Amino acid sequence: MLYFTAIRYKMPESDSDKGKHQRFFIPEPNARPGDTPDFSQLPISPVGSVARPQTSASPETLRDLPFKLIRTLNEDGIPEGEWQPEITIAVVRKIYEYMRLTRIFDTKMFRVQRQGKTSFFLASRGEEALGVVPSIALRANDMCFPTYRQVGWLLARGYPLVKLINQIFNNSDDPLKGKQLPVLYSARDFGFYSLSGNVGTRFGHAVGWAMAKAYRNSDDIAIGFIGDGTTAEGSFHEALTFASVYKAPVILGITNNQWAISTFTGLATNKDTTFASKALSYGIPGLRVDGNDALAVYSVLEWAADRARHGHGATLIEFFTYRSGAHSTSDDPERYRPKEEALLWPLGDPIERLRQHLLTSKAWSEEKDGQLHKMLDKQITESLKEAERIGVLGESKPDVREMFEGVFKEQDWRAVEQLKELGL
Ligand SMILES: Cc1ncc(C[n+]2csc(CCOP(=O)(O)OP(=O)(O)O)c2C)c(N)n1
Ligand SMILES: [Mg+2]
């Protein structure tokens, strides 16, 4: 067993260094279970304080942006500053509805896993804006290369709930025929590229897809996502090299939710910088945005999409947020972070903040809010019942023959042999 402790390395001593030693450094989060959470050192800019450059601005003029935080909604839910998006109240309401739908869906499906009806589930609690807002801000022909925490994209584009649940149950109507885990969705017609259990693969695929579109003179763009922890993988840097060298029309989003299962952001990047600042060495713009402020998220996406569609290339965006639930149904965050950390996150809850905005802008009421909740809850309960009638985990499954279909254009010899072994 390997123990990481502070190991002392004896360094060559100059006169002034006598007695000093270099210590092997292991980063540690500010607070562990039982400690009081401390967010005082987070680099958070005041609401509305960041200037919005022209979308045609050259990257050299944008070098301070990765160290600021773009925010629009103030404490009263009123937007401030240059990054307020041009958006109608009907679109804001739509964003809000789908964020609420995502939260209810996640909560119910998490419970369903505890009831043994599926093997695994993973929720996007606290990050609902990052699935729903891009889905609405980008066009139907654009393509999202998502992480597993962005089911909101599919919900906002009207992907049938029953189909999602059939996949989660891996029953006979699973649209992916048991080839994928629950939550690893794939829906090309909804602009949602296949998820993969191997984290970090999305960026390279997004850049390649975007390059192919540019090659064909299309103005479709790609958006790819990666988690904070996964930026420590080499594939992140390879994708950025291609994106910047070929000016790929792509938005590259880092979902910085502060945690990578049980490891904190300080293990993926030096605490004295930001994830967005990695853009600087690639010569592309890097933005940091409050991921719990749906209007700010919409605004930066519009900015980056406009650049990509007009030949100005890729933008790296750090969505600064907090994973307020467990990583997945297999995780217990109370073992590695203070229980109350999520509640004390200084940028609040994305759904509550948008609700407050709608209420203060008089475009919404408590009464309508209550009706909406009931309607969404009913929609999910009914879809759940319909999928349960087909069968939950183990009660029903896709035909084994389907496992061999739709993978290779021409059947692979191994699959042919396995089919024979099965007598099919
Ligand atoms: C290539 C690879 N390495 C490790 C894992 C195991 N794993 C799954 S999720 C995860 C943490 C990812 O954290 P982060 O990138 O911050 O994304 P988040 O879940 O916080 O959105 C790890 C290590 C994996 N699925 N794939
Ligand atoms: Mg993370």
Side-chain angles (χ1 to χ4, degrees):
M1 174 115 185
L2 189 63
Y3 289 97
F4 287 107
T5 50
I7 301 168
R8 280 183 160 214
Y9 291 107
K10 197 118 171 58
M11 302 297 282
E13 289 184 6
S14 68
D15 278 353
S16 60
D17 278 348
K18 276 215 170 94
K20 288 187 190 165
H21 295 89
Q22 174 72 40
R23 275 177 181 271
F24 183 50
F25 177 66
I26 309 278
E28 264 297 319
N30 287 339
R32 285 292 190 190
D35 297 337
T36 307
D38 176 12
F39 293 119
S40 58
Q41 298 308 311
L42 289 183
I44 296 178
S45 317
V47 176
S49 63
V50 183
R52 183 185 188 277
Q54 299 273 320
T55 55
S56 57
S58 74
E60 310 88 80
T61 62
L62 306 172
R63 287 192 179 143
D64 55 342
L65 278 174
F67 302 100
K68 297 178 174 174
L69 189 69
I70 297 166
R71 303 168 64 198
T72 62
L73 287 173
N74 71 15
E75 282 191 0
D76 301 319
I78 299 166
E80 285 181 17
E82 295 178 15
W83 282 93
Q84 291 178 56
E86 279 179 28
I87 190 170
T88 63
I89 201 73
V91 175
V92 178
R93 259 200 317 248
K94 184 173 170 192
I95 290 172
Y96 176 70
E97 283 182 27
Y98 284 107
M99 284 171 63
R100 293 276 314 249
L101 184 68
T102 308
R103 174 89 40 110
I104 302 170
F105 177 78
D106 277 347
T107 309
K108 282 197 191 289
M109 297 317 295
F110 215 90
R111 207 175 303 143
V112 155
Q113 193 276 342
R114 296 296 189 236
Q115 293 164 347
K117 294 175 183 169
T118 177
S119 52
F120 177 78
F121 190 71
L122 183 151
S124 46
R125 194 177 186 85
E127 299 173 40
E128 290 86 351
L130 306 182
V132 172
V133 178
S135 180
I136 290 173
L138 298 189
R139 297 182 186 164
N141 287 336
D142 297 335
M143 186 64 79
C144 177
F145 296 74
T147 71
Y148 38 60
R149 240 181 269 286
Q150 288 176 300
V151 69
W153 175 289
L154 286 174
L155 297 177
R157 293 208 170 185
Y159 188 87
L161 280 167
V162 181
K163 261 173 112 172
L164 282 181
I165 305 171
N166 285 338
Q167 185 183 335
I168 291 168
F169 289 166
N170 290 127
N171 65 23
S172 59
D173 283 12
D174 171 355
L176 304 185
K177 306 298 174 196
K179 293 189 185 82
Q180 282 273 44
L181 275 169
V183 316
L184 299 186
Y185 314 110
S186 171
R188 179 163 54 183
D189 294 346
F190 293 79
F192 196 85
Y193 185 82
S194 303
L195 273 156
S196 157
N198 302 319
V199 298
T201 49
R202 295 298 83 96
F203 259 29
H205 296 170
V207 173
W209 189 93
M211 285 166 64
K213 285 287 172 179
Y215 182 73
R216 291 177 196 161
N217 286 323
S218 158
D219 70 351
D220 299 337
I221 63 167
I223 181 162
F225 287 90
I226 200 168
D228 48 278
T230 311
T231 62
E233 286 189 8
S235 49
F236 168 76
H237 300 279
E238 289 155 14
L240 277 166
T241 300
F242 273 81
S244 67
V245 167
Y246 295 98
K247 287 197 181 298
V250 62
I251 303 172
L252 295 168
I254 301 171
T255 306
N256 177 4
N257 62 4
Q258 314 303 320
W259 291 95
I261 313 185
S262 57
T263 65
F264 84 117
T265 50
L267 282 169
T269 201
N270 178 301
K271 73 172 180 42
D272 296 325
T273 191
T274 66
F275 286 96
S277 72
K278 292 174 197 268
L280 296 179
S281 54
Y282 295 95
I284 62 172
L287 307 181
R288 253 177 107 239
V289 61
D290 176 359
N292 292 8
D293 175 340
L295 295 190
V297 170
Y298 190 93
S299 185
V300 295
L301 289 171
E302 278 206 308
W303 188 89
D306 195 68
R307 278 184 79 84
R309 282 191 224 284
H310 291 94
H312 301 295
T315 301
L316 183 71
I317 306 179
E318 175 183 347
F319 296 98
F320 195 65
T321 181
Y322 187 87
R323 193 200 76 212
S324 60
H327 171 75
S328 70
T329 46
S330 315
D331 173 47
D332 175 8
E334 287 183 26
R335 296 183 64 177
Y336 52 82
R337 67 185 193 189
K339 201 174 169 178
E340 63 280 21
E341 205 176 77
L343 284 174
L344 297 174
W345 178 244
L347 298 167
D349 177 81
I351 296 183
E352 191 43 46
R353 286 179 63 194
L354 200 57
R355 191 177 92 93
Q356 188 196 20
H357 167 68
L358 283 168
L359 289 172
T360 50
S361 58
K362 306 267 183 271
W364 200 235
S365 66
E366 294 285 3
E367 196 196 341
K368 280 189 189 153
D369 207 51
Q371 286 166 355
L372 174 73
H373 183 86
K374 266 198 202 140
M375 193 260 286
L376 299 176
D377 193 85
K378 189 163 168 249
Q379 219 176 310
I380 293 174
T381 306
E382 284 174 1
S383 304
L384 202 47
K385 279 196 190 134
E386 199 179 325
E388 282 180 358
R389 274 197 292 276
I390 300 161
V392 301
L393 177 72
E395 285 178 1
S396 149
K397 52 184 152 195
D399 188 316
V400 70
R401 203 184 300 263
E402 288 174 326
M403 197 162 74
F404 297 91
E405 290 164 5
V407 178
F408 297 103
K409 191 170 174 207
E410 279 161 34
Q411 199 61 289
D412 180 74
W413 64 269
R414 279 158 287 231
V416 173
E417 294 209 341
Q418 285 165 7
L419 275 163
K420 254 194 238 150
E421 271 173 43
L422 288 166
L424 297 170

